[in-house]
Amino acid sequence: MDAGLIGSLVLLALIDSTSFGTLLIPIWMMLAPGRLHPGRLLTFLATVAIFYLVLGVALTFGALALLDDLRPVAASGPFQVAQLVVGVALFAYSFRFGKKRKGSEPGRLLRWREQAMSGEGSPKALVVLALTAVTLEVATMLPYLAAIGLISAAELALPTTVAVLAGYCLVMVLPALVLLGARVVGADRVQPVLVWVNGWMTRSAAETTGWVLGIAGFLLAANAAQELGILEAIDSLSGAK
């Protein structure tokens, strides 16, 4: 492995470290009231890293070939119609987010966080949360997919490939680990930053979800419409007028 490849992988891992599951959820968990239990957050981050590692190994050794076989199916007419329907449905569904409901409050979610981080809840809940977060992010793992492409092109031996992927996953959760260490050592200095991030997440969580669903739906529908020739038909009708 050359220095250029290592540098590219580190950069991609740091980009991946800013995602919802690798940074925002850990920050939100650190802000749970009461005494911090680092082991709880370490369980969450370890689950995220292991999931990424297993997925990376699967994609590197065989799953990419399966994706090549599935591309003709994805290009077929029925699949594109289904994609168009799903895209329009997601776009329409996104508008229900961000509307404040009377009496709505994040109390239930905050109580769950307090229970999970206080040591009263089962670690299984943290594992489930971690798996849910990274599963939802699979479609946006572009940096990780780019890293897997670079590693595959380097034609490394199996043990080396696994070790490099493990190093990538470690760097990916490193910022959250650094924040956790800072939270344990100097809570007074780190707390204001964490509180600001938590406030932003609490205020904009619904709106952000709506935007993500809306953008994803629009892109899916636009891609399907282009593949089906709908956009060209619309342009032709517009030109005829």
Side-chain angles (χ1 to χ4, degrees), residues 7 53 91 101 183 215 220 235 237:
L53 177 59
F91 185 78
R101 298 180 177 87
R183 171 70 172 78
I215 292 172
L220 285 173
D235 289 337
L237 291 175

Side-chain angles (χ1 to χ4, degrees), residues 52-223:
Y52 266 78
L53 177 59
V54 172
L55 179 64
V57 172
L59 289 175
T60 304
F61 299 101
L64 289 177
L66 177 61
L67 291 177
D68 289 336
D69 294 336
L70 293 177
R71 283 196 181 99
V73 177
S76 64
F79 185 91
Q80 294 297 335
V81 171
Q83 179 180 320
L84 178 63
V85 172
V86 171
V88 172
L90 281 176
F91 185 78
Y93 186 64
S94 68
F95 286 96
R96 73 183 299 269
F97 287 87
K99 296 180 180 178
K100 294 184 178 180
R101 298 180 177 87
K102 294 182 179 180
S104 64
E105 57 179 2
R108 183 178 179 183
L109 191 59
L110 295 180
R111 286 195 298 271
W112 180 90
R113 177 184 65 178
E114 183 177 357
Q115 183 182 33
M117 294 303 293
S118 65
E120 299 176 2
S122 169
K124 181 180 178 181
L126 296 171
V127 173
V128 171
L129 175 62
L131 293 176
T132 301
V134 293
T135 300
L136 292 174
E137 291 181 344
V138 165
T140 59
M141 288 180 177
L142 297 181
Y144 195 40
L145 294 177
I148 291 172
L150 292 175
I151 295 172
S152 300
E155 298 182 350
L156 304 174
L158 174 59
T160 304
T161 298
V162 175
V164 171
L165 287 171
Y168 181 100
C169 295
L170 178 60
V171 173
M172 183 184 66
V173 298
L174 186 59
L177 291 174
V178 171
L179 282 177
L180 176 60
R183 171 70 172 78
V184 172
V185 176
D188 294 338
R189 296 181 179 180
V190 179
Q191 191 74 2
V193 177
L194 298 179
V195 168
W196 181 87
V197 175
N198 180 71
W200 175 83
M201 290 180 66
T202 302
R203 290 190 304 271
S204 61
E207 289 84 351
T208 301
T209 301
W211 276 102
V212 170
L213 288 176
I215 292 172
F218 175 79
L219 292 176
L220 285 173
N223 177 261

